[in-house]
Amino acid sequence: NSSSVGIVSGIADVNTFSIILYGYITGLAGLVAGTPYYLSAAVAGAMTNVPPALPGQIYKPVFVADSAVSGYWFNYPGVQI
């Protein structure tokens, strides 16, 4: 409910993964092109296309999809509503 560092871009095994701190990522699924995504207020570590709106939640845009499987990850500061 407060911050994120990056997005997992690949998983080699149960102990090894790659992370993108900012930039372009592919290999995702179920995105809507042109849609911004936000740090989820309901699911830890998830992003959602529904912006948080309740007092106390963190409003933090983190991603913009350019297709159903890719987009741009960025790490803007979050703001408590």
Side-chain angles (χ1 to χ4, degrees), residues 1-3 39-41 52 54 56-60 78-81:
N1 64 0
S2 68
S3 195
L39 184 64
S40 175
L54 298 177
Q57 291 180 332
I58 304 299
Y59 179 89
K60 182 177 172 75
V79 177
Q80 187 174 22
I81 299 171

Side-chain angles (χ1 to χ4, degrees), residues 13-78:
D13 58 46
V14 296
N15 296 313
T16 309
F17 65 91
S18 299
I19 188 170
I20 290 180
L21 302 179
Y22 59 88
Y24 193 71
I25 183 169
T26 62
L28 305 175
L31 303 172
V32 178
T35 300
Y37 288 80
Y38 307 87
L39 184 64
S40 175
V43 179
M47 63 182 186
T48 177
N49 62 354
V50 178
L54 298 177
Q57 291 180 332
I58 304 299
Y59 179 89
K60 182 177 172 75
V62 293
F63 187 84
V64 175
D66 69 345
S67 77
V69 297
S70 61
Y72 295 89
W73 174 267
F74 46 89
N75 198 10
Y76 290 143

